[in-house]
Amino acid sequence: MLKYEYLEKTDDGLAFAYYPEGNKNAPGKVVVTEKGRGRVVEESADDFGKRYAFHAIKGIDTAQKAGTVAWY
């Protein structure tokens, strides 16, 4: 599970902070495009192997300013 918050619009998409397991002390940053693609800008210290970043890119609802992505 991760929580996310909208940061800003960039030249190539929308930037979001993501927080693995909701940990606000270990943010990461991704940019998500309107076509569901994205890239990792900054990996979270709690995100070994970019697993949370991958889920953030695929699961963030760009119509929302904040939210949660869960998987099992």
Side-chain angles (χ1 to χ4, degrees), residues 7-18 27-33 37-45 47 50 52-54 56-57 60:
L7 296 174
E8 63 188 346
K9 183 173 171 84
T10 67
D11 290 340
D12 56 343
L14 303 173
F16 289 87
Y18 72 94
K29 184 176 179 181
V30 294
V31 171
V32 181
T33 68
R37 295 186 179 185
R39 65 183 174 87
V40 179
V41 176
E42 184 178 325
E43 189 174 344
S44 165
D47 191 3
K50 299 181 184 174
Y52 286 92
F54 173 77
I57 290 168
I60 286 176

Side-chain angles (χ1 to χ4, degrees), residues 1-3 18-28 44-46 52:
M1 182 274 302
L2 64 88
K3 294 199 177 273
Y18 72 94
Y19 308 98
E21 301 304 320
N23 183 359
K24 294 268 187 165
N25 295 319
S44 165
D46 285 352
Y52 286 92

